[in-house]
Amino acid sequence: MKWKAACAYVDEHHRHHDPPQGHQFSLGVQTDDGRLVGVAIVGRPVGRNFDNGLTIEVTRLATDGTPNACSALYAAAWRTARSAGYRRAITYTQDGETGASLRGAGWRKVADLPARPGWDAPSRPRRTLGTENVARALWEITTHDATPLPELRDETGDETRRARGRRKRCPECKSPITVAATGRPPRYCSPACRQRAYRHRTR
């Protein structure tokens, strides 16, 4: 598929996303009589942790509901990516989508991701897309020699939440400790625990 034609199809048929900003390649599936019934747009991974040069992402997939069109597109996207040297393909589904088309094409679910409040941050301004506060699932298909996925970071927070701190546990009583984003992090949850730990060390 040509880029503009694939974007036009997504704009008309996709339920909750606009066309993406770019692509590596796009594919279409058609009936025996030549009627276009679905497209897949494939590009670099949106998440920077996955963008290692050997991973590709199906960023948009839209069909008119024709049976098996989704599975055909996911399978064709992986065949095309693998022939180009990619070792992994990933994509996401939203909460409430079963992923049956992905399973039918040989993909597997690797993570359930909680909903996040939004994509905007001071360091990365983003407009509201209407897909915020929706849990997602991450899917992949790989070659046999693909390296493991990088550790998934917590996407539920933003710059404000991270500035409020992260959680760790007191080594004395195992209670949670709030660790500020700046300054020296505390080792204990309270002065009492700090004193108890000191007494234990000096016995």
Side-chain angles (χ1 to χ4, degrees), residues 92-164:
Y92 297 88
T93 56
Q94 289 195 345
D95 186 32
E97 297 174 337
T98 66
S101 297
L102 285 155
R103 289 191 180 92
W107 295 57
R108 60 185 176 274
K109 184 166 71 170
V110 294
D112 287 308
L113 305 176
R116 55 178 297 161
W119 305 96
D120 184 60
S123 62
R124 191 190 65 242
R126 293 290 187 272
R127 64 184 176 87
T128 301
L129 301 175
T131 56
E132 296 79 11
N133 297 303
V134 178
R136 298 171 299 145
L138 173 64
W139 299 74
E140 73 168 7
I141 188 168
T142 69
T143 60
H144 70 281
D145 56 349
T147 58
L149 275 171
E151 183 178 353
L152 296 173
R153 65 182 180 87
D154 180 10
E155 293 187 332
T156 61
D158 56 14
E159 297 287 343
T160 303
R161 184 187 65 81
R162 285 195 293 272
R164 286 201 301 265

